[in-house]
Amino acid sequence: MQQIGNCVRLDVFYIENEGYYFIPIYVSDTVKNKLPNKACVANKDYVKWKEMDDRNFIFSLYPKDLIYIKGNNKVKLNPNIKNKDSIEAEELFAYYIKAGISVASITIQTHDNKYIQTNLGIKSLKKFEKYEVDILGNYHKVKLPEKRLPFNINKK
């Protein structure tokens, strides 16, 4: 059953010759014995979402995580400030803000909060990578794959 409420994180998967998928992890999932395993599929009901295998898991994405995106086409970013024009980029670093499950997309924002894209589909991206930012502002690609962590590790 599809969850409604606050999304804690996205678990991102990559399937060769298909692309990227994400599973939204909600607050209610944090107390369950098992993580959900159905990934969003644009314009499909939850029962028709795609089953994921943990072998295809690459990383978990939390709000304000730094990501690198390289698209097949240019990504259009809309201004957050009045009297500014939209910009386009073939590749960019941005911060993940939130997900939209109805169209399987994410919202991203530039580091200076000047530009935003509220409907970025990840499935067909050429590259979708997660980065860490250290205390000095240096950024480094996260070593993959991460381990898909449950929330109830001490629960019996």
Side-chain angles (χ1 to χ4, degrees):
M1 174 177 221
Q2 191 168 348
Q3 301 293 315
I4 297 180
N6 293 331
C7 187
V8 175
R9 73 178 193 217
L10 299 182
D11 285 351
V12 179
F13 295 76
Y14 180 75
I15 298 176
E16 190 75 35
N17 300 319
E18 285 188 41
Y20 296 95
Y21 292 90
F22 68 80
I23 296 175
I25 307 296
Y26 293 94
V27 171
S28 61
D29 295 321
T30 66
V31 295
K32 294 180 179 172
N33 290 327
K34 189 175 178 185
L35 289 170
N37 66 345
K38 283 190 161 196
C40 292
V41 177
N43 305 310
K44 300 279 185 189
D45 290 333
Y46 179 78
V47 294
K48 294 184 180 177
W49 284 9
K50 187 170 180 67
E51 293 275 339
M52 289 289 115
D53 187 317
D54 280 352
R55 291 179 300 189
N56 300 112
F57 173 76
I58 52 176
F59 56 78
S60 291
L61 197 57
Y62 294 85
K64 305 285 181 157
D65 275 349
L66 181 65
I67 55 176
Y68 169 77
I69 297 164
K70 184 172 185 177
N72 290 314
N73 301 310
K74 290 185 176 181
V75 175
K76 183 179 180 182
L77 297 164
N78 298 309
N80 261 343
I81 303 166
K82 292 180 183 179
N83 302 323
K84 287 275 188 183
D85 292 328
S86 296
I87 60 171
E88 293 183 341
E90 289 182 18
E91 57 186 322
L92 70 139
F93 283 95
Y95 287 93
Y96 161 71
I97 303 301
K98 64 181 180 177
I101 62 170
S102 62
V103 291
S105 67
I106 62 171
T107 296
I108 61 170
Q109 187 171 309
T110 57
H111 74 285
D112 56 7
N113 197 25
K114 289 184 179 176
Y115 294 94
I116 191 167
Q117 168 53 265
T118 58
N119 196 21
L120 178 68
I122 67 167
K123 189 171 187 316
S124 62
L125 291 174
K126 281 185 184 177
K127 284 191 178 181
F128 184 42
E129 301 172 340
K130 179 179 171 182
Y131 279 72
E132 293 176 324
V133 182
D134 68 22
I135 196 166
L136 298 175
N138 301 309
Y139 51 94
H140 309 278
K141 185 177 170 185
V142 171
K143 291 183 173 87
L144 299 179
E146 287 185 338
K147 182 172 171 49
R148 191 172 187 218
L149 297 175
F151 288 92
N152 57 353
I153 54 176
N154 294 326
K155 194 173 182 180
K156 293 187 182 191

